[in-house]
């Protein structure tokens, strides 16, 4: 594998660090998003990778022109990245991350995975 490109769904607002949800609703939202990202990754060809370290680039395409903070977007993405880690079978503590925002609207997160 040279580069793996995956498109994941935009993380739901319930996963925002600013959301004030009951712990059980938050747990359900995290579980659902983790599962959705794992299914999407598998559907796009992701599978177990033999690697000690990975570089994962995230490009956030917001669902609207409304402003958003990259740090909050990354925090919302945590469960989704865990779902991707489940599929790749590489612990996310061995990942180097880079994040950016796109000028275009799209309601998705494009992920590029490459060996370090």
């Amino acid at each position: 594998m040279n580069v793996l490109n995956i498109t994941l769904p935009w993380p739901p607002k319930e996963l925002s660090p600013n959301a004030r949800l009951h712990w059980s609703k938050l747990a359900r939202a995290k579980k659902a998003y983790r599962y959705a990202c794992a299914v999407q990754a598998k559907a796009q060809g992701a599978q177990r990778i033999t690697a000690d370290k990975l570089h994962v680039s995230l490009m956030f395409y917001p669902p609207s022109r409304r402003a958003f903070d990259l740090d909050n977007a990354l925090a919302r993405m945590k469960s989704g990245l865990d779902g991707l880690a489940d599929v790749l079978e590489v612990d996310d503590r061995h990942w180097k991350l880079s994040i950016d925002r796109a000028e275009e609207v799209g309601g998705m997160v494009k992920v590029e995975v490459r060996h370090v």
Side-chain angles (χ1 to χ4, degrees):
M1 175 204 86
N2 291 338
V3 176
L4 176 64
N5 290 300
I6 301 167
T7 301
L8 298 177
W10 185 258
K13 65 181 185 257
E14 292 84 5
L15 299 182
S16 171
N18 298 325
R20 301 293 180 248
L21 292 180
H22 186 271
W23 65 266
S24 64
K25 287 185 180 181
L26 179 60
R28 276 195 297 275
K30 286 179 179 180
K31 185 176 182 178
Y33 189 60
R34 183 176 187 155
Y35 177 76
C37 288
V39 168
Q40 284 291 322
K42 282 183 185 177
Q44 295 174 51
Q47 57 188 351
R48 184 179 187 280
I49 294 176
T50 305
D52 293 329
K53 294 185 180 203
L54 294 175
H55 183 263
V56 179
S57 299
L58 306 173
M59 179 64 75
F60 290 93
Y61 291 78
S64 68
R65 295 256 175 237
R66 187 175 176 173
F68 70 97
D69 295 335
L70 270 177
D71 58 340
N72 286 340
L74 179 60
R76 287 171 69 163
M77 194 67 203
K78 169 80 171 93
S79 298
L81 293 176
D82 288 343
L84 181 59
D86 293 342
V87 173
L88 299 178
E89 296 184 32
V90 177
D91 192 320
D92 57 1
R93 69 181 171 168
H94 300 294
W95 292 8
K96 290 184 178 192
L97 285 174
S98 63
I99 60 174
D100 202 358
R101 81 180 84 222
E103 296 298 320
E104 302 88 29
V105 171
M108 63 187 155
V109 182
K110 290 191 177 183
V111 181
E112 180 182 277
V113 180
R114 57 176 73 228
H115 288 273
V116 173

